[in-house]
């Protein structure tokens, strides 16, 4: 299933021309779920928010970057899933390639779904199930513990789309 999730990622890239990691899903990981926020200087500077789930990194482009102000809402556009190894990717995607420009890891850490939760979620399989359910319902609440980003955040679907928030 995870391999199939990376088909769109693969179709957009020429791996002989880009330093990005290949479409290899990760299976059997244990421990907390990871998130990463990458600063991406492509056509326009934006940030990519990625969360680990089902062996891949589910991804959203955030044009204005993350905000720590709870009153401030930011657009997050769902993009294709990325391989888990992309979470540590930093480098320059060459001109002429999809997403050309510099990518750096801006922040990373662990996350847990926190809808109706006051505490950290320790059951990985149940956490991934809740992530899938939240996306399907159009509201995914997350507790992030990173170096720069800490606290509760939510992804809310604003249009009726099948691909998630």
């Amino acid at each position: 299933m995870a391999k199939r999730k990376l088909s769109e990622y693969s179709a957009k890239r020429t791996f002989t021309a880009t330093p990005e990691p290949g479409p290899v899903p990760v299976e059997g990981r244990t421990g907390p779920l990871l998130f990463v926020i990458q600063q991406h200087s492509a056509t326009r500077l934006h940030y990519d928010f990625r969360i680990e789930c089902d062996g891949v990194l589910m991804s959203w482009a955030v044009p204005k970057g993350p905000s720590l102000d709870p009153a401030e809402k930011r657009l997050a556009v769902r993009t294709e899933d990325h391989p888990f190894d992309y979470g540590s990717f930093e480098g320059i995607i060459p001109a002429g390639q999809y997403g050309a420009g510099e990518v750096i890891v801006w922040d990373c850490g662990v996350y847990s779904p926190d809808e109706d939760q006051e505490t950290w979620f320790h059951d990985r399989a149940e956490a991934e199930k809740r992530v899938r359910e939240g996306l399907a319902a159009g509201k995914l609440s997350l507790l992030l513990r990173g170096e720069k980003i800490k606290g509760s955040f939510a992804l809310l679907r604003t249009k009726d789309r099948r691909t998630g928030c």
Side-chain angles (χ1 to χ4, degrees), residues 30-110:
T30 60
L33 294 168
L34 302 179
F35 82 90
V36 65
I37 300 171
Q38 289 166 309
Q39 183 179 307
H40 189 176
S41 298
T43 304
R44 290 199 165 98
L45 177 66
H46 67 279
Y47 292 77
D48 294 308
F49 175 63
R50 308 185 198 287
I51 60 172
E52 176 188 7
C53 187
D54 297 329
V56 299
L57 295 174
M58 295 177 156
S59 301
W60 290 260
V62 184
K64 292 185 178 181
S67 173
L68 297 177
D69 180 355
E72 198 170 339
K73 310 299 182 225
R74 295 288 171 98
L75 174 68
V77 179
R78 183 79 161 94
T79 63
E80 73 276 7
D81 293 335
H82 285 56
F84 180 80
D85 288 346
Y86 209 100
S88 60
F89 173 70
E90 291 188 312
I92 297 175
I93 301 168
Q97 297 300 306
Y98 177 77
E102 184 179 9
V103 177
I104 64 166
V105 173
W106 184 81
D107 195 17
C108 61
V110 295

Side-chain angles (χ1 to χ4, degrees), residues 12-24:
K12 292 181 175 185
R13 289 162 179 82
T14 304
F15 294 105
T16 56
T18 180
E20 296 167 283
V24 180

